[in-house]
Amino acid sequence: MNDITFTTAQARASYLDQLEAESIHIMRETAAETDKPVMLYSIGKDSSVLLHLAQKAFYPGKLPFPVLHVDTTWKFREMIEFRDARAKELGLDLIVYINQDGVKRGIGPFTHGSELHTDVMKTQALRQALDLYGFDAAIGGARRDEDKSRAKERIFSFRNAHHRWDPKRQRPEPWRLFNAEKRKGESIRVFPLSNWTELDVWLYILRENIPVVPLYFAKPRPVVSRGGTLIMVDDERLPLEPGEQPELRNVRFRTLGCYPLTGAIDSTATTLDDIIRETLDSRFSERAGRVIDKDGAASMERKKQEGYF
Amino acid sequence: MNILADPIELARDAVLYSHENKSLLRFIACGSVDHGKSSLLGRLLFDARLVPDDQIETLRKDTGQLTGPDNELDFSLLFDGLAAEREQKITIDLAYRFFATAKRKFIVADAPGHEQYTRNMATGASTAELALILINAQSGLTQQTRRHALIAATLGVRHLVIAINKMDIVGYAQDVFDAIERDFRAFATRLGDVELIFIPVSAKKGDNVVHRSRAMAWYRGPTLLEKLETVDATPRAAKAAFRMAVQWVSRPTPDFRGYCGLIAGGIVTPGQEIVVQPSGQRTRIKEIITAGGELARATIGQSVTLTLTDDVDVSRGDILADAAAPASVSDRFNARIFWMGQSGDTGALAPGGRFHIKLGTAKAAARIAGPIKLIDLAEDAAIKPADSLLSNEFGLCTLELDRPLAADAYDDNRDTGSFVLIDAESHDTVAMGLIERASAEEQAAPVRTSLIGHVALRVARLFGARESHSRSIAKALSWRFTGSFDTFIIGWLITGNSKVAGSIALTEIVTKIALYYFHERAWALVPWGRR
């Protein structure tokens, strides 16, 4: 059994309890209705919540599915350390998948641009991994408040045999009746956190004492400013422009991804309380710091159609 | 337990407390095309200061309106998310929006207005406690307004907020507002037990959305946000009998067997007597297990794991129900159907159609038995005979399942009274179904859970089938007198003894009346050869 502490169930039912109960319901439906589910673990705060909810859903049993991390090889070093420590601590059945073909071709965000890098190392890699292991359902931590096209996506989101999402052919999803029926080769992406917002995620992390990557908390870090985005110099692969000098700034991250594509924000938030206060006061949406989401209008919708999470 | 409070803990609790006590309200926003729904929702978020700066910036770029006050932006553009929607400038699919005020968290199902996308509106209404229906003050009630109100009420939405929009264009005139309210109330007698609230608003100018309108002093009711923050959000089934559909059987060790599910009705406590349905086995709740510890009681909406005192047979799809008020078990249900199939083989629902049904966590094969009736939403839900149901139409029909399942009437419990039909070939979800309350006759039939299995149900149904009992008895009597007179004549002719012939005929009357009655009821169950 997992060595993990959960808060005592409250007598009163708050909206966080309702969100939690619904997410647990979704995970149990996925495990029961699909042949070979997997949980995607991207190491960020949403994944941390997802993992915590999964453990609650199947307590006192173990997770009835493995956990998959698609590694683009450009993640922050602290993310990888955190991932390995958590997997060990919780006894997770962790699969790490890297698109070896992309590695051979030397695909990276600086040499090939953010769009191609994301496509090869993230989208293609995910599709390869799902096909390789034959997973017919992938549970992910995406939320509807992240993006306009996500706001329209179902909780059980159907993909054809080529992993394509067809926004015009989405199955209606009334009540809590999720339809997981599909043909061989087709698959389903499941989003138990669909109805959570960024604030809900942080409040829940606070309430449940869920560990998160330290990059979410502010501390002096070496960054360079590029087109208004603060990029952290996480390793020597970041090519410095002539005369460019990393400066030490007190920064943190609101979302985590590939370090060259994730902008930091100036912040003094060093505790969860601080983060929550900052989230409440923020006049900017969460993904404003993501480079890849700005690749043209409707970019998320297109990426999703191609099989991006 | 610590006696001295940890200061960090205290701070933590203060932050949590201010948010945790919020309740959750799900509502659906709907209305005809161009009545200003997206603008109203945008205005609501903007005035409640919930639109981030970078989104306002994007909005400026999208509208090409790079200067001028924020207050006059086109808020509808905050929402339409899919490329096709931006191209056609309409909302096609249901979108979910989230916002929170100091009192509540809101989940908004933003539904499209076009009739061909009504299925998306119905989906959004299925989980909503409140419907926000927009009416353009200039055009008044439309067909689509009525349609949306009828669908929302049918799907169990208890509060209808009718926002009469574009009041600025009609000069904030009270008589315009009053006339629309009168029209709506006259039509709303069709809607049953729902609360109606009428609010005059202007999404464009922000009147009565978050801030009280100065231009409409004649209006004394709540602003839209006030109403949303105070309406009763408790689900109707909170006071209903305990129900839980088993999702997953947890067996981490050989001596532990827990049944996982989300409580769909009422309250459960350890020691409570329950019945496993459809099998009908009775047992008691032993423990209510959650990762946070055992509970002394659990209520509607909680995800729990239950253990039972006896070693009974329970699997996914079964319902655990209060033994004193169990669900009904049958392989035949009358239901209201909302047809969502779109094209080809699933373009229409016709008698004899075969589907997979998902009811709670149970699955079975279902067949549409007997005739279909149309609930005509264009004529205030008048019921008419029909050959089939087309996409976005509501109707009534009877379903026959390949095995008995437990269910409640939808009006009593939204979770245990609802189902979807799935096309066996394409696997698309093609219909929403709402179980109708069983008629008095069906309720009197001894189709109860104490009987075991399918065979028992079949026998029990002998007394509860299509033809009334008095009719079967009348038929038995009329046939018997004709038949027995014939027996008497033949007996007399053969034996030449009228006494012997008479006693044979009289005995036969008694025994064969009984036999005929059962024979007739048995045939009533056989659909073969019927037209």
Side-chain angles (χ1 to χ4, degrees):
Chain A
M1 225 166 271
N2 301 315
D3 179 31
I4 173 171
T5 52
F6 295 105
T7 55
T8 346
Q10 309 282 313
R12 59 171 193 268
S14 75
Y15 85 90
L16 282 180
D17 292 317
Q18 275 186 65
L19 291 178
E20 178 192 78
E22 288 171 9
S23 301
I24 287 174
H25 175 258
I26 293 162
M27 292 204 196
R28 288 170 172 172
E29 282 299 284
T30 313
E33 290 241 339
T34 61
D35 296 330
K36 202 175 175 192
V38 65
M39 176 177 279
L40 298 183
Y41 180 64
S42 68
I43 319 173
K45 60 182 187 303
D46 303 309
S47 285
S48 290
V49 167
L50 205 59
L51 192 54
H52 186 80
L53 287 166
Q55 286 180 302
K56 282 195 157 190
F58 300 101
Y59 174 89
K62 281 189 168 179
L63 298 195
F65 36 69
V67 170
L68 169 70
H69 177 228
V70 175
D71 192 346
T72 61
T73 72
W74 288 88
K75 299 293 170 192
F76 291 90
R77 283 174 302 168
E78 278 179 83
M79 288 173 74
I80 303 301
E81 283 164 25
F82 180 86
R83 175 196 75 192
D84 294 341
R86 287 298 283 164
K88 206 172 152 196
E89 201 179 319
L90 302 175
L92 298 179
D93 177 6
L94 174 73
I95 301 167
V96 175
Y97 186 86
I98 297 173
N99 181 352
Q100 292 303 338
D101 176 57
V103 172
K104 261 185 237 147
R105 284 159 61 199
I107 303 285
F110 297 115
T111 43
H112 297 79
S114 63
E115 203 164 334
L116 186 78
H117 164 72
T118 307
D119 180 53
V120 174
M121 299 308 286
K122 213 166 162 177
T123 310
Q124 306 288 347
L126 175 63
R127 293 169 51 165
Q128 287 170 9
L130 296 180
D131 291 343
L132 177 68
Y133 292 94
F135 294 124
D136 65 338
I139 303 169
R143 307 187 321 264
R144 285 172 173 155
D145 78 327
E146 285 176 75
D147 175 87
K148 279 180 178 182
S149 72
R150 286 220 199 272
K152 310 232 158 181
E153 190 162 5
R154 305 291 184 258
I155 291 172
F156 274 55
S157 186
F158 182 79
R159 302 299 150 103
N160 71 12
H162 307 291
H163 300 277
R164 280 189 76 90
W165 179 58
D166 184 351
K168 286 179 193 154
R169 283 212 51 175
Q170 297 203 81
R171 293 172 176 174
E173 204 163 68
W175 298 293
R176 294 191 182 105
L177 294 170
F178 303 110
N179 173 5
E181 293 194 13
K182 57 193 174 322
R183 295 194 190 96
K184 204 170 160 52
E186 295 169 339
S187 62
I188 294 173
R189 309 282 163 93
V190 183
F191 304 111
L193 302 182
S194 287
N195 292 333
W196 296 55
T197 62
E198 185 188 13
L199 179 63
D200 299 334
V201 165
W202 282 119
L203 285 169
Y204 190 72
I205 287 170
L206 175 69
R207 188 181 88 166
E208 305 281 308
N209 291 314
I210 302 170
V212 290
V213 185
L215 291 162
Y216 286 113
F217 301 102
K219 95 174 192 191
R221 296 189 168 95
V223 293
V224 291
S225 173
R226 293 202 172 155
T229 306
L230 296 178
I231 301 295
M232 180 172 155
V233 186
D234 195 50
D235 58 33
E236 68 298 333
R237 289 181 295 176
L238 187 116
L240 292 176
E241 321 227 317
E244 196 175 42
Q245 268 298 346
E247 57 170 325
L248 220 50
R249 270 167 86 155
N250 219 28
V251 293
R252 68 176 199 90
F253 296 86
R254 271 177 89 177
T255 66
L256 292 177
C258 295
Y259 84 81
L261 303 176
T262 310
I265 53 167
D266 287 312
S267 168
T268 54
T270 55
T271 65
L272 286 172
D273 285 15
D274 295 342
I275 289 176
I276 287 167
R277 239 165 264 135
E278 210 176 86
T279 309
L280 282 171
D281 293 343
S282 172
R283 299 300 300 151
F284 290 94
S285 56
E286 186 184 6
R287 297 181 82 94
R290 288 232 178 171
V291 177
I292 55 166
D293 293 348
K294 292 177 186 163
D295 293 338
S299 65
M300 180 69 91
E301 183 180 348
R302 188 169 41 78
K303 279 205 268 291
K304 284 164 62 62
Q305 287 185 25
E306 287 160 3
Y308 180 75
F309 215 79
Chain B
M1 197 184 195
N2 283 332
I3 303 210
L4 290 173
D6 176 346
I8 294 172
E9 280 289 307
L10 270 181
R12 197 186 86 110
D13 286 352
V15 174
L16 271 179
Y17 187 80
S18 63
H19 294 283
E20 267 233 306
N21 274 355
K22 284 179 191 174
S23 53
L24 177 65
L25 178 74
R26 284 185 150 88
F27 73 92
I28 176 163
C30 46
S32 295
V33 186
D34 291 335
H35 283 204
K37 177 178 52 74
S38 293
S39 306
L40 182 66
L41 289 179
R43 165 63 69 178
L44 186 65
L45 296 198
F46 180 79
D47 280 2
R49 301 186 53 73
L50 297 164
V51 183
D53 285 352
D54 59 313
Q55 286 187 18
I56 292 178
E57 211 49 47
T58 311
L59 199 59
R60 282 188 181 286
K61 279 183 206 144
D62 287 354
T63 40
Q65 189 186 329
L66 294 168
T67 53
D70 289 346
N71 200 29
E72 285 167 19
L73 290 169
D74 180 357
F75 296 113
S76 66
L77 294 169
L78 277 174
F79 292 134
D80 289 332
L82 299 174
E85 296 181 320
R86 278 193 299 276
E87 281 157 26
Q88 299 174 37
K89 296 200 164 90
I90 55 163
T91 311
I92 293 174
D93 207 341
L94 190 65
Y96 288 92
R97 329 262 170 220
F98 309 89
F99 68 100
T101 63
K103 291 183 184 142
R104 267 202 172 144
K105 163 159 174 138
F106 298 94
I107 299 181
V108 192
D110 184 0
H114 281 268
E115 187 173 336
Q116 76 248 48
Y117 308 120
T118 309
R119 65 185 204 144
N120 295 325
M121 185 261 153
T123 302
S126 71
T127 52
E129 293 296 338
L130 178 146
L132 168 61
I133 297 178
L134 250 90
I135 298 182
N136 182 341
Q138 288 173 293
S139 39
L141 245 70
T142 63
Q143 181 84 316
Q144 195 64 350
T145 316
R146 290 196 189 90
R147 206 179 153 77
H148 283 160
L150 282 166
I151 292 172
T154 304
L155 287 167
V157 177
R158 289 182 299 157
H159 312 275
L160 300 188
V161 173
I162 296 95
I164 296 163
N165 190 25
K166 306 198 183 181
M167 286 301 292
D168 54 315
I169 299 179
V170 296
Y172 298 108
Q174 187 180 359
D175 55 339
V176 175
F177 173 78
D178 288 345
I180 295 174
E181 175 171 350
R182 247 190 333 269
D183 283 358
F184 196 97
R185 283 195 188 276
F187 146 78
T189 50
R190 281 275 171 198
L191 300 178
D193 179 24
V194 292
E195 185 200 14
L196 300 176
I197 307 102
F198 296 85
I199 307 178
V201 301
S202 163
K204 195 169 168 213
K205 307 278 180 189
D207 294 277
N208 288 334
V209 179
V210 172
H211 307 297
R212 190 154 283 283
S213 170
R214 286 193 205 136
M216 289 180 280
W218 48 265
Y219 174 73
R220 304 265 164 81
T223 63
L224 177 58
L225 185 62
E226 277 165 10
K227 187 63 204 177
L228 294 175
E229 282 186 325
T230 52
V231 75
D232 177 17
T234 334
R236 199 177 283 189
K239 288 184 188 137
F242 165 67
R243 298 281 185 270
M244 189 187 94
V246 176
Q247 284 189 279
W248 178 262
V249 180
S250 172
R251 302 200 62 184
T253 56
D255 52 351
F256 181 91
R257 192 189 271 261
Y259 304 102
C260 307
L262 186 131
I263 298 173
I267 295 169
V268 64
T269 52
Q272 185 174 346
E273 191 180 14
I274 57 132
V275 54
V276 181
Q277 295 188 289
S279 72
Q281 305 161 89
R282 283 165 180 262
T283 176
R284 288 179 185 279
I285 301 289
K286 191 171 158 201
E287 306 143 304
I288 305 170
I289 293 172
T290 70
E294 282 182 33
L295 304 181
R297 82 200 263 277
T299 59
I300 187 165
Q302 283 185 279
S303 278
V304 294
T305 299
L306 302 176
T307 56
L308 306 175
T309 52
D310 304 294
D311 189 15
V312 289
D313 183 16
V314 184
S315 50
R316 176 174 163 87
D318 288 345
I319 283 190
L320 306 184
D322 185 348
S328 37
V329 172
S330 180
D331 55 1
R332 205 179 162 89
F333 289 107
N334 293 326
R336 272 168 288 171
I337 299 280
F338 182 70
W339 186 250
M340 306 189 288
Q342 286 184 298
S343 58
D345 292 343
T346 64
L349 174 79
R354 288 174 188 275
F355 305 95
H356 297 165
I357 183 172
K358 187 173 182 190
L359 197 169
T361 56
K363 278 197 174 165
R367 194 180 75 92
I368 307 297
I372 292 176
K373 285 178 194 141
L374 170 75
I375 301 176
D376 193 346
L377 294 177
E379 285 183 27
D380 294 355
I383 294 171
K384 302 169 173 177
D387 293 334
S388 63
L389 288 183
L390 301 177
S391 198
N392 296 315
E393 284 184 343
F394 246 109
L396 287 166
C397 71
T398 303
L399 276 107
E400 246 173 29
L401 314 185
D402 66 344
R403 66 189 181 100
L405 294 179
D408 289 296
Y410 185 77
D411 292 341
D412 295 334
N413 193 312
R414 269 175 154 184
D415 280 317
T416 51
S418 60
F419 60 86
V420 288
L421 296 181
I422 297 166
D423 184 73
E425 203 173 310
S426 68
H427 304 299
D428 278 338
T429 307
V430 288
M432 288 168 69
L434 295 75
I435 308 263
E436 290 275 85
R437 202 180 296 283
S439 66
E441 189 187 324
E442 285 165 318
Q443 279 177 341
V447 188
R448 276 301 164 192
T449 50
S450 50
L451 298 172
I452 28 162
H454 204 170
V455 175
L457 276 161
R458 281 280 174 190
V459 173
R461 278 251 311 284
L462 282 178
F463 304 94
R466 229 173 284 228
E467 298 211 337
S468 76
H469 296 271
S470 38
R471 181 175 158 86
S472 293
I473 289 166
K475 278 165 96 175
L477 287 173
S478 69
W479 167 242
R480 193 64 351 250
F481 283 112
T482 320
S484 296
F485 183 69
D486 182 58
T487 307
F488 174 74
I489 298 293
I490 294 170
W492 195 9
L493 286 177
I494 293 174
T495 61
N497 186 332
S498 64
K499 244 184 189 170
V500 172
S503 34
I504 291 174
L506 279 173
T507 321
E508 193 201 50
I509 286 180
V510 178
T511 56
K512 289 204 175 159
I513 281 179
L515 282 175
Y516 182 93
Y517 171 75
F518 284 109
H519 183 255
E520 175 72 8
R521 298 313 291 177
W523 269 104
L525 289 181
V526 181
W528 172 80
R530 270 202 196 116
R531 279 166 207 266

